[in-house]
Amino acid sequence: MYVFRSKPAHPKTESVVGYLEGFRKERRLLIVLFLIAGLVSLYFAGAGSKLMGSALLHALPPIGVALALFSVLIAIEVYRSMSQKLINLYGVHAMVRHQNRVDPLTGALSRVRFLEAFQETLEKHSKRGSVALVVFDVDHFKQLNDSFGHPSGDQVLEFCVRAAQSSFHDTTIGRLGGDEFALFIAHDEKISDSYLAGACDTFLGTLRDGLYLKGRRLAVSASIGIAMSPRDDTSMQVLMSYADMALYQSKRAGRARWTAFATDLLGDVRHERFLERELRAAILLKQLSVHYQPIVDQDGVLNSLEALVRWDHPVRGQISPDSFIPIAEKSILIHDLGLCVLAQVCNDLPSLPDVPVNVNVSARQFRLGDFTRDYLGVLDKYSVNASRIVLEITESFSLETSKRFIGQITDLREAGFRIALDDFGLGYSEFNQLRQLPFDIIKIDKSYIQNIGLDRVTDVFVNAVVQVAEHLDRRVVAEGIEGPDDRVRAAAAGCRLFQGYHFLAPSPAREIARVYCSADQAEGYGCCAPRQAKVA
């Protein structure tokens, strides 16, 4: 098993450049000293008597002896210093070579060494036996890192490697980068699917048992992908690609699970690539539309609208956002899509009721350095004030509490945007985050709202969120109000704003104006003050 304990850093690691420069100077000095000693030796051998006068010959011997002895002594010390530097440099070289082979944090192989070992094993078992490749990464690792700190994140990675070692026997483990790991198992006979299934279940179970961080137990989960040689392929590159496809299928299916590669996944990948190309064209050709769903108060008066993108494909018909938004999330297209939606919202604002419009923002967009500039640029183009726009950020991303993220949110609020924390209750929810992060609105996920009164834990959670929000002077929106019972229960729990199909399904701007504006205003397709709409 290729697992090693990390070693402490060599004390001279950071001074290698200085060592080399000092070594060069000492080498030059040593050459000069040996030249001096050599010239003195030549002098005593008689070379000097042929070149110099007899008077000088009698005056130099005592000086020459002293100079020669001094040069030899200095040369010996310089030689010893150079030898010690060479020993230290050899130590640094050995340490660096070890680090290039082994991840110093987890003890797993480095990416390069793992791939080398995997290739060697595939060649060894090319004609007999089988090799199983398992890749996995930690679910929501970035949010975990941001919530608990990087030292805790390091402990989680070490814990995952230990769990993999105990779950998969006779395995070679490597760290591919960040929170992504891979391992392979080789055998002279066929590795059974049942063994892999059992090992993966054991691994996931160990992660669920969790580890203790800062005095409390934290459960961990991972998404896993599996590929097999020679069943799926014998090429290292192809097997890595297949295992990645299987891993992402695990993510799409809800994470915390394993998936073995199957040829059907190739069809899914081709389908995704097709949709990505088509979506890029739809954005350029302005084939996307925006529908709006109302957010109302206790009296049914319109408070704001949420903008929801729709794609009516000219050939394939209506394509669900659940199909194309995850594809956009994987690429830079998500930012283009977000700008496209914002531009359409700005274009529709004059025809909508005079209330703020919520625009969804993806985690990937916040990682772009030009996010704020691009969004403000769209508002400038349409002469729209940022106070008309609420940016909804999914809770799984917003739980980051780094200074950079808080600074971004603060800058957006100072520019006039309001910020909504969407889908609160999913991911790593912590009430402490509500205190630290500068949000204006909290939207409780519909999975909680629809279970109010049916589950005691849900009741406590929703009530606590409402109380914290009131204390912090933040507004709470209950999502997923599908019927009058949902509305009554959410109101009883303390919610004062509501959103869901009970009030109105996402609709075009003209329909929103018809419902929430007077007949004259709706006919004129002009901006109006919000009014109460009749709700069943």
Side-chain angles (χ1 to χ4, degrees):
M1 186 187 306
Y2 292 89
V3 180
F4 302 88
R5 289 288 182 185
S6 60
K7 294 182 179 180
H10 195 282
K12 302 296 184 181
T13 303
E14 297 180 357
S15 59
V16 171
V17 175
Y19 262 37
L20 291 176
E21 183 60 31
F23 190 87
R24 294 188 187 97
K25 292 179 179 178
E26 290 173 345
R27 183 179 60 181
R28 289 194 293 268
L29 176 60
L30 192 63
I31 292 172
V32 171
L33 292 171
F34 276 119
L35 282 175
I36 293 173
L39 289 174
V40 171
S41 299
L42 287 174
Y43 173 83
F44 281 110
S49 62
K50 298 178 181 179
L51 298 174
M52 302 178 185
S54 58
L56 187 62
L57 180 64
H58 293 290
L60 282 179
I63 299 175
V65 171
L67 183 61
L69 289 174
F70 180 75
S71 298
V72 170
L73 290 174
I74 295 297
I76 291 172
E77 287 301 316
V78 172
Y79 178 78
R80 288 176 59 185
S81 175
M82 293 175 66
S83 298
Q84 185 59 48
K85 283 182 170 59
L86 282 174
I87 292 172
N88 289 336
L89 287 173
Y90 280 129
V92 171
H93 176 266
M95 183 203 66
V96 171
R97 187 182 178 197
H98 177 75
Q99 288 183 340
N100 287 336
R101 293 170 56 88
V102 179
D103 174 44
L105 173 65
T106 63
L109 289 183
S110 67
R111 179 186 181 90
V112 172
R113 182 62 192 118
F114 175 83
L115 294 178
E116 289 175 352
F118 185 38
Q119 180 63 50
E120 292 168 1
T121 303
L122 287 175
E123 293 172 356
K124 180 180 178 181
H125 291 80
S126 60
K127 296 181 179 180
R128 181 183 178 184
S130 58
V131 182
L133 172 67
V134 179
V135 298
F136 66 91
D137 64 18
V138 183
D139 294 332
H140 304 295
F141 182 70
K142 185 179 187 304
Q143 291 88 336
L144 186 151
N145 227 2
D146 295 331
S147 299
F148 294 94
H150 291 280
S152 296
D154 291 344
Q155 291 182 53
V156 169
L157 296 181
E158 293 179 272
F159 169 66
C160 288
V161 170
R162 291 196 303 269
Q165 291 171 6
S166 63
S167 303
F168 298 89
H169 302 296
D170 297 323
T171 185
T172 301
I173 303 176
R175 185 179 181 183
L176 303 184
D179 64 320
E180 185 177 359
F181 295 86
L183 60 89
F184 64 81
I185 308 164
H187 201 276
D188 291 337
E189 304 296 333
K190 179 182 178 182
I191 299 174
S192 67
D193 293 335
S194 60
Y195 167 77
L196 288 174
C200 288
D201 289 339
T202 300
F203 176 55
L204 293 175
T206 304
L207 296 184
R208 279 194 302 272
D209 291 340
L211 73 162
Y212 282 91
L213 288 178
K214 298 180 179 179
R216 65 172 179 171
R217 188 177 68 85
L218 174 69
V220 182
S221 68
S223 298
I224 304 172
I226 303 171
M228 186 84 73
S229 172
R231 184 186 67 189
D232 299 324
D233 205 282
T234 57
S235 165
M236 180 185 72
Q237 290 81 3
V238 173
L239 288 170
M240 292 293 294
S241 174
Y242 285 176
D244 279 337
M245 290 181 197
L247 182 148
Y248 283 106
Q249 179 61 27
S250 294
K251 290 180 179 293
R252 285 192 293 267
R255 304 177 189 267
R257 65 191 66 213
W258 60 269
T259 302
F261 173 79
T263 53
D264 293 346
L265 294 180
L266 290 174
D268 294 339
V269 172
R270 295 189 188 101
H271 174 68
E272 287 186 4
R273 290 175 180 170
F274 170 77
L275 270 185
E276 183 179 341
R277 290 194 299 269
E278 291 287 291
L279 179 59
R280 182 176 284 107
I283 293 172
L284 292 174
L285 298 174
K286 302 186 185 318
Q287 293 177 345
L288 302 173
S289 61
V290 176
H291 286 198
Y292 301 89
Q293 188 171 41
I295 299 172
V296 303
D297 64 15
Q298 301 172 82
D299 300 320
V301 175
L302 185 65
N303 173 270
S304 55
L305 297 163
E306 180 177 357
L308 300 164
V309 65
R310 294 293 182 262
W311 184 8
D312 191 4
H313 194 280
V315 176
R316 305 178 64 196
Q318 195 73 238
I319 299 178
S320 169
D322 291 339
S323 298
F324 67 84
I325 289 180
I327 294 173
E329 285 270 7
K330 295 180 182 179
S331 68
I332 195 66
L333 271 183
I334 191 62
H335 188 55
D336 297 333
L337 179 61
L339 293 174
C340 177
V341 170
L342 180 62
Q344 184 61 55
V345 168
C346 292
N347 189 60
D348 289 343
L349 278 178
S351 65
L352 292 171
D354 189 15
V355 295
V357 177
N358 295 21
V359 176
N360 289 286
V361 176
S362 162
R364 284 184 62 86
Q365 290 177 263
F366 262 87
R367 298 188 186 106
L368 300 174
D370 297 334
F371 171 80
T372 303
R373 186 199 67 185
D374 291 347
Y375 267 55
L376 290 175
V378 172
L379 298 188
D380 289 341
K381 178 180 178 181
Y382 289 90
S383 300
V384 172
N385 194 298
S387 62
R388 289 294 305 275
I389 304 298
V390 178
L391 300 179
E392 284 196 16
I393 307 171
T394 55
E395 184 251 359
S396 60
F397 174 65
S398 64
L399 282 182
E400 179 184 350
T401 56
S402 67
K403 291 183 179 179
R404 177 179 176 275
F405 177 74
I406 294 175
Q408 283 181 299
I409 297 296
T410 302
D411 291 344
L412 288 167
R413 294 183 76 203
E414 290 177 352
F417 292 103
R418 282 191 291 167
I419 308 297
L421 174 58
D422 193 20
D423 296 332
F424 188 78
L426 301 179
Y428 293 91
S429 300
E430 285 197 2
F431 287 100
N432 186 48
Q433 308 299 330
L434 299 180
R435 179 179 59 83
Q436 295 185 41
L437 298 175
F439 288 99
D440 303 288
I441 301 164
I442 302 167
K443 300 183 74 175
I444 302 178
D445 184 69
K446 65 181 181 180
S447 63
Y448 286 93
I449 297 301
Q450 294 174 355
N451 278 294
I452 293 175
L454 305 176
D455 177 68
R456 178 60 181 162
V457 174
T458 296
D459 295 345
V460 172
F461 175 81
V462 174
N463 188 260
V465 172
V466 170
Q467 290 188 41
V468 170
E470 289 178 351
H471 179 72
L472 298 176
D473 194 26
R474 299 179 186 180
R475 312 192 76 177
V476 175
V477 177
E479 297 183 299
I481 305 297
E482 308 297 333
D485 291 343
D486 292 335
R487 180 182 183 181
V488 170
R489 289 196 295 264
C495 298
R496 298 294 177 262
L497 295 175
F498 312 89
Q499 178 181 358
Y501 278 74
H502 173 60
F503 304 102
L504 191 68
S507 305
R510 184 179 291 276
E511 177 66 12
I512 295 294
R514 186 191 68 78
V515 174
Y516 288 98
C517 298
S518 67
D520 292 340
Q521 291 168 325
E523 183 66 26
Y525 205 56
C527 186
C528 68
R531 69 179 178 87
Q532 183 177 3
K534 292 183 178 180
V535 178

